[in-house]
């Protein structure tokens, strides 16, 4: 693998070279490896086919989850979200002790206690972890989806970016069926307040708990704003915006 250093950056294939971009840097490498035809048909590659099948299944589960939470994720994500989430889902797939190799899947793995624990605490923005931005206790009621925070002192118990004057809290409960790919999300109202030292208590209550079969994910998000002349503007710096999984049932 080599970097492209010239003025003209290329993406695509030319003869036996592949030009591509990754994390803002342009690379070039030679074509190579084993042909797809051999992998698909030769007995020696049965383990490879099994791994590819499970990898693809986990990839589909990750895509479904990202789409389900699109409204929240768009405000709080990092450039490596796809690969980080896929890594967790692959671990959850390994919790499936019922399916044969090549058929292990997230739907079966997440039904286990171990599988749920692997997704618990996942942060969609690795640059803003919930427990490093919010320094206050919260209570989750999984029956109603309510998240309650008592006597929060925003300016003292929230790590916020320079220029931020306000913060918004919102919760959500997302029910996902990793087998059928069905999903539904219910959101709470947005609670917005000034970043000051005034103690603030509030509860975030989703409109309902989705009535579909699947895994329940409870999420908490924080978004920062700057007020200018009475108008709040979302900060361009999204490194502090948070979206974390606070419960898995």
């Amino acid at each position: 693998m080599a970097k492209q250093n010239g003025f003209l950056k290329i993406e695509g294939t030319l003869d036996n070279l592949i030009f591509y971009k990754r994390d803002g840097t342009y690379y070039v490498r030679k074509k190579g490896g084993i042909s797809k035809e051999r992998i698909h048909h030769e007995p020696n590659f049965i383990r490879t086919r099994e791994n590819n099948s499970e990898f693809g299944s986990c990839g589909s589960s990750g895509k479904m989850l990202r789409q389900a939470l699109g409204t929240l994720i768009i405000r709080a994500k990092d450039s490596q979200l796809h690969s980080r989430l896929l890594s967790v889902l692959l671990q959850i797939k390994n919790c499936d002790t019922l399916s044969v190799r090549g058929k292990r899947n997230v739907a079966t793995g997440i039904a286990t206690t171990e599988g749920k624990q692997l997704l618990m605490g996942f942060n969609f923005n690795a640059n803003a972890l919930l427990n490093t931005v919010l320094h206050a206790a919260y209570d989750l009621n999984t029956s109603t989806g309510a998240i309650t925070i008592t006597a929060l002192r925003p300016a003292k118990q929230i790590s916020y970016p320079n220029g931020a004057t306000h913060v918004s809290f919102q919760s959500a409960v997302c029910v996902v069926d990793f087998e059928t790919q069905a999903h539904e999300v219910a959101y709470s109202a947005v609670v917005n307040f000034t970043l000051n030292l005034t103690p603030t208590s509030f509860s975030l209550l989703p409109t309902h708990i989705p009535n579909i079969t699947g895994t329940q994910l409870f999420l908490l998000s924080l978004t920062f704003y700057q007020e200018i002349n009475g108008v709040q503007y979302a900060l361009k710096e999204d490194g502090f915006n948070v979206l974390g999984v606070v419960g898995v049932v």
Side-chain angles (χ1 to χ4, degrees):
M1 178 177 66
K3 293 183 179 179
Q4 300 181 49
N5 294 318
F7 174 76
L8 180 63
K9 300 297 190 294
I10 302 173
E11 292 184 71
T13 302
L14 178 64
D15 294 331
N16 67 333
L17 298 176
I18 297 175
F19 300 83
Y20 61 100
K21 180 182 179 181
R22 187 176 67 192
D23 297 333
T25 301
Y26 290 84
Y27 298 92
V28 57
R29 64 177 176 83
K30 287 185 177 181
K31 288 183 179 179
I34 302 167
S35 69
K36 291 183 180 180
E37 186 70 17
R38 292 183 61 193
I39 292 176
H40 288 330
H41 299 288
E42 291 189 11
N44 289 342
F45 296 104
I46 185 172
R47 297 283 89 88
T48 302
R49 290 195 292 273
E50 292 169 347
N51 291 338
N52 288 347
S53 176
E54 293 182 349
F55 186 90
S57 175
C58 290
S60 296
S61 294
K63 180 179 180 180
M64 181 269 292
L65 182 55
R66 295 196 310 275
Q67 290 176 338
L69 298 174
T71 303
L72 291 173
I73 288 178
I74 197 169
R75 300 198 302 258
K77 63 179 180 178
D78 63 85
S79 62
Q80 300 299 317
L81 172 59
H82 170 77
S83 58
R84 290 193 305 105
L85 181 57
L86 178 59
S87 177
V88 172
L89 294 178
L90 286 168
Q91 295 178 61
I92 293 173
K93 172 265 301 177
N94 291 339
C95 295
D96 176 2
T97 59
L98 303 177
S99 306
V100 298
R101 180 167 176 156
K103 299 294 184 180
R104 293 177 299 173
N105 58 82
V106 173
T108 305
I110 197 68
T112 67
T113 300
E114 295 79 5
K116 290 181 173 64
Q117 289 175 343
L118 286 167
L119 195 54
M120 177 66 183
F122 183 81
N123 286 275
F124 290 84
N125 184 1
N127 300 315
L129 308 182
L130 178 59
N131 62 0
T132 64
V133 174
L134 177 63
H135 307 287
Y138 54 84
D139 178 69
L140 169 65
N141 184 329
T142 56
S143 296
T144 63
I147 296 176
T148 302
I149 300 179
T150 303
L152 172 70
R153 296 179 183 271
K156 183 177 181 180
Q157 293 177 286
I158 297 176
S159 297
Y160 54 91
N162 291 331
T165 60
H166 291 72
V167 61
S168 286
F169 281 75
Q170 187 175 29
S171 71
V173 54
C174 176
V175 180
V176 290
D177 187 327
F178 286 103
E179 182 176 5
T180 66
Q181 304 249 315
H183 54 80
E184 184 182 343
V185 185
Y187 304 92
S188 74
V190 175
V191 175
N192 177 276
F193 45 79
T194 306
L195 288 163
N196 57 27
L197 293 175
T198 302
T200 304
S201 299
F202 58 94
S203 185
L204 304 166
L205 179 64
T207 56
H208 64 286
I209 300 294
N211 188 28
I212 65 172
T213 302
T215 302
Q216 295 179 349
L217 306 180
F218 300 90
L219 303 108
L220 178 62
S221 73
L222 283 75
T223 307
F224 294 94
Y225 299 87
Q226 182 180 68
E227 183 175 276
I228 300 176
N229 297 330
V231 179
Q232 291 187 30
Y233 299 89
L235 295 181
K236 291 184 178 180
E237 172 56 62
D238 61 2
F240 280 79
N241 288 345
V242 172
L243 178 60
V245 177
V246 298
V248 184
V249 177

